[in-house]
Amino acid sequence: MNASNCAFGRRSMLSGILFALAYAAGMPGYDVPALQFVCMVPFLDMSVRGSSVRAAAREGWLIGTLASLPLYYWISHTIAVEGKLGWPVGALAAILLSAYLGAYISVAAAGARGLHDRFGDAGLWFFPFFWTGLELARTYLFFGFPWMFLGYTLSNSELLCQAADLGGVYGLSFLLALCGTSLYLAGKSWSERALIRVTLCRAAPAVAAVLFLVFYGMIAIRQESPAAGELRVGIAQGGVDQSEKWDSSNQREILEIYEELTRRTSDAEAKLIVWPETAAPFFYGWKEELTREVDRIGREAGVPLIFGAPWFEPDDGGKFYNSVFFLDSRGVPAGRYDKRRLVPFGEYIPLRRLFFFFQKLAEGSPEDFSTGKAPAIFPVEGAMVSPSICYEAVFPMLIRDTVLEGATVLVNLTNDAWFGDTVAPNQHLAMVRLRSVEMRRPMVRAANSGISAIIDSRGRIVASEGLFRKGVVVGNIQPGTERTLYAKTGNLFGISCIIICFFALLNSNARMLWRRDFLKRKQRL
């Protein structure tokens, strides 16, 4: 009996390790193809083979942490090198973040085991709803960290990612989880030598999901409207080293870099020029001499300029913002956007009374940054351009807000130098690409150290500049005007998944109580 249990446990752990490897390797930055369709097979095998719900949760947390480490190891670089806190602190931060995200996978494993215990194999058909609901929860719980969901494994496939305009990244995650569940149940039937028709019926949802992604992608790409009213845009990628950016003695040299890049972009006939996040490393509007220099660069370019810089607002006690500024073709300030979703511990310290010993990692202001209140729209050549800053682009609803306000072109200003030469810049770019597909809006992504890219409304990269280079990116985009189903409904699909799981578990509890009550009454008789 003990030997049997030991073998049972070894197979469960082996399945967990296979899931961790497949889950991580299928993500952007590694991009091993097809793994996203099958990674849930070993995960479900691990979960169902656990000796109990608690054991499944324990193994799920361990395997979830293991699966997360290859995806979030870059946190150690951000804290150790850019934050100057040392590698021991950086390594600890990466492990803690991976353990936190592993907790969601732990809940998924416990949920799969619980569904199987209560409904048998049929209960696992609820698992895709459960997994999708957990991803939505991760977007909002605590500080919110919607980084690298399962659906992002399709973002680099022009064909397979198009269905994101229906249910967002959550819809793609659901389809992939459905594929894994279907294949697991079909494989189980095959191993148990069930009837062929049972195995085929269980495999049918996986086949249907893949065919849907393929054919929907083909239709979506073919239905792209012909080029009309194009806008030629340009990006200035300064490639300024993070260690030099906030040294006041380098401010003029940095502006000279962007002046030269802006001139090259203007010579390429761009009608809109975008600089990265905090490309102007000073308080724009308050440092008069440097502010006049930026205005002059914009005026001489003769086209609208969007750039990032910190901003100080003296009203309401004085607040600091990570902001985007808009200069019209005359070099006159015509708009400002303040970042609405800040990076915890990067731009502000949450629960400061508890974490009083922490200092925020991002430079640019002596105090925590404050949160902006609303999206902004900048008119350019008949297009309505809406900016986001860095981390905001991983929150679909923030981008949706701008589209509902009338944005036809999306702009994302970021500084990915924090990530170093890791998988994170590729991950960040992949998530931004999916925002374009979800909303059917082109995206102009200006990154200080790369990867800067011009992305069309189908998520395709029109032009780009790689990591740690100084250069310009110029290309044509077509402003989008259609309103996708995802733009109309938001996270309704993800919320529906949570509701379905809630009622499924509620119904199962009611059935169990009824059965227990029935057995008690039968014993009395």
Side-chain angles (χ1 to χ4, degrees):
M1 187 70 177
N2 290 336
S4 176
N5 288 338
C6 185
F8 198 74
R10 282 198 298 269
R11 175 167 173 178
S12 175
M13 187 55 63
L14 177 61
S15 294
I17 293 172
L18 288 175
F19 161 73
L21 293 174
Y23 181 78
M27 288 290 183
Y30 302 108
D31 294 302
V32 179
L35 292 181
Q36 60 267 47
F37 293 99
V38 299
C39 67
M40 287 300 163
V41 174
F43 179 79
L44 290 172
D45 186 63
M46 175 201 73
S47 303
V48 170
R49 286 181 177 277
S51 59
S52 64
V53 171
R54 182 175 297 180
R58 185 170 57 249
E59 291 181 8
W61 178 74
L62 178 62
I63 294 303
T65 302
L66 181 64
S68 298
L69 279 171
L71 301 178
Y72 306 105
Y73 73 90
W74 49 265
I75 288 290
S76 61
H77 178 276
T78 298
I79 291 178
V81 178
E82 307 301 343
K84 300 180 177 64
L85 296 179
W87 284 106
V89 177
L92 178 62
I95 293 171
L96 290 176
L97 177 61
S98 297
Y100 163 70
L101 297 173
Y104 287 92
I105 295 179
S106 171
V107 174
R113 176 56 193 258
L115 289 168
H116 189 268
D117 284 351
R118 294 179 181 184
F119 300 105
D121 284 352
L124 293 181
W125 292 114
F126 286 105
F127 176 73
F129 298 96
F130 199 85
W131 180 274
T132 306
L134 280 175
E135 287 194 343
L136 183 62
R138 180 148 72 92
T139 303
Y140 296 101
L141 288 181
F142 304 107
F143 311 122
F145 192 66
W147 193 282
M148 287 292 95
F149 290 149
L150 182 61
Y152 286 121
T153 57
L154 299 179
S155 60
N156 290 331
S157 171
E158 175 188 328
L159 181 66
L160 299 179
C161 73
Q162 298 303 318
D165 67 352
L166 299 176
V169 64
Y170 308 103
L172 297 184
S173 292
F174 175 84
L175 290 174
L176 292 175
L178 177 63
C179 281
T181 302
S182 175
L183 293 174
Y184 168 74
L185 290 173
K188 188 176 181 183
S189 293
W190 181 265
S191 66
E192 293 173 352
R193 298 184 179 181
L195 295 174
I196 292 294
R197 62 181 177 82
V198 174
T199 301
L200 293 178
C201 286
R202 288 184 166 189
V207 176
V210 173
L211 290 177
F212 172 76
L213 289 171
V214 171
F215 285 107
Y216 188 89
M218 293 171 61
I219 294 171
I221 293 171
R222 288 177 182 174
Q223 285 183 341
E224 185 175 12
S225 53
E230 285 188 335
L231 177 66
R232 189 165 178 80
V233 297
I235 301 168
Q237 180 172 302
V240 179
D241 191 273
Q242 187 70 14
S243 63
E244 301 174 356
K245 184 172 184 177
W246 295 103
D247 186 339
S248 59
S249 63
N250 294 328
Q251 290 174 335
R252 285 195 171 278
E253 181 181 348
I254 290 172
L255 288 184
E256 288 173 1
I257 290 173
Y258 280 104
E259 180 178 11
E260 189 264 333
L261 295 175
T262 300
R263 188 180 301 113
R264 287 170 53 188
T265 309
S266 180
D267 291 343
E269 300 182 347
K271 301 302 180 184
L272 170 66
I273 300 174
V274 184
W275 295 1
E277 177 186 12
T278 58
F282 58 87
F283 283 99
Y284 179 80
W286 294 95
K287 287 201 170 185
E288 295 184 3
E289 188 175 352
L290 294 174
T291 297
R292 286 196 296 268
E293 279 295 297
V294 174
D295 294 347
R296 177 188 62 79
I297 294 171
R299 184 170 59 252
E300 291 180 356
V303 297
L305 172 64
I306 294 176
F307 66 95
W311 168 255
F312 173 69
E313 179 59 63
D315 296 338
D316 193 23
K319 292 183 177 180
F320 298 90
Y321 293 95
N322 185 355
S323 300
V324 168
F325 294 87
F326 174 62
L327 304 184
D328 64 18
S329 58
R330 301 167 298 165
V332 176
R336 189 185 89 236
Y337 168 72
D338 301 323
K339 189 175 183 181
R340 291 179 290 154
R341 189 79 189 204
L342 303 177
V343 179
F345 301 102
E347 295 171 310
Y348 77 103
I349 305 299
L351 305 174
R352 181 168 279 282
R353 289 186 179 181
L354 178 63
F355 298 111
F356 63 91
F357 49 88
F358 271 99
Q359 294 293 325
K360 67 181 179 64
L361 298 179
E363 299 179 75
S365 77
E367 303 290 341
D368 284 357
F369 284 109
S370 295
T371 304
K373 295 179 174 59
I377 304 288
F378 307 143
V380 178
E381 297 281 327
M384 305 303 288
V385 180
S386 183
S388 61
I389 303 176
C390 189
Y391 182 61
E392 290 184 312
V394 307
F395 290 87
M397 291 300 96
L398 283 179
I399 305 303
R400 175 177 179 257
D401 287 345
T402 68
V403 171
L404 296 180
E405 288 291 324
T408 60
V409 174
L410 305 174
V411 172
N412 180 245
L413 289 73
T414 187
N415 179 20
D416 286 0
W418 287 98
F419 299 143
D421 188 11
T422 66
V423 296
N426 288 289
Q427 293 175 343
H428 205 185
L429 175 62
M431 291 184 282
V432 170
R433 290 178 67 179
L434 210 60
R435 298 292 88 82
S436 288
V437 179
E438 290 170 345
M439 302 299 162
R440 295 301 180 199
R441 297 293 187 271
M443 177 79 74
V444 182
R445 183 177 194 263
N448 172 55
S449 60
I451 306 168
S452 295
I454 298 172
I455 305 163
D456 71 8
S457 61
R458 266 54 188 173
R460 295 172 296 203
I461 295 179
V462 176
S464 65
E465 181 63 270
L467 283 172
F468 308 115
R469 297 177 183 173
K470 181 175 71 174
V472 300
V473 182
V474 181
N476 296 330
I477 57 174
Q478 184 180 357
T481 56
E482 65 177 297
R483 191 71 61 83
T484 66
L485 180 63
Y486 186 53
K488 293 175 182 177
T489 62
N491 286 333
L492 180 61
F493 176 75
I495 295 171
S496 299
C497 288
I498 294 176
I499 294 173
I500 289 171
C501 287
F502 173 78
F503 279 106
L505 294 174
L506 184 66
N507 180 58
S508 70
N509 285 330
R511 288 173 60 191
M512 289 176 67
L513 290 173
W514 178 86
R515 185 179 180 185
R516 188 181 304 165
D517 185 60
F518 174 78
L519 291 174
K520 285 181 179 179
R521 283 182 293 173
K522 189 175 180 180
Q523 288 175 353
R524 290 188 193 130
L525 295 174

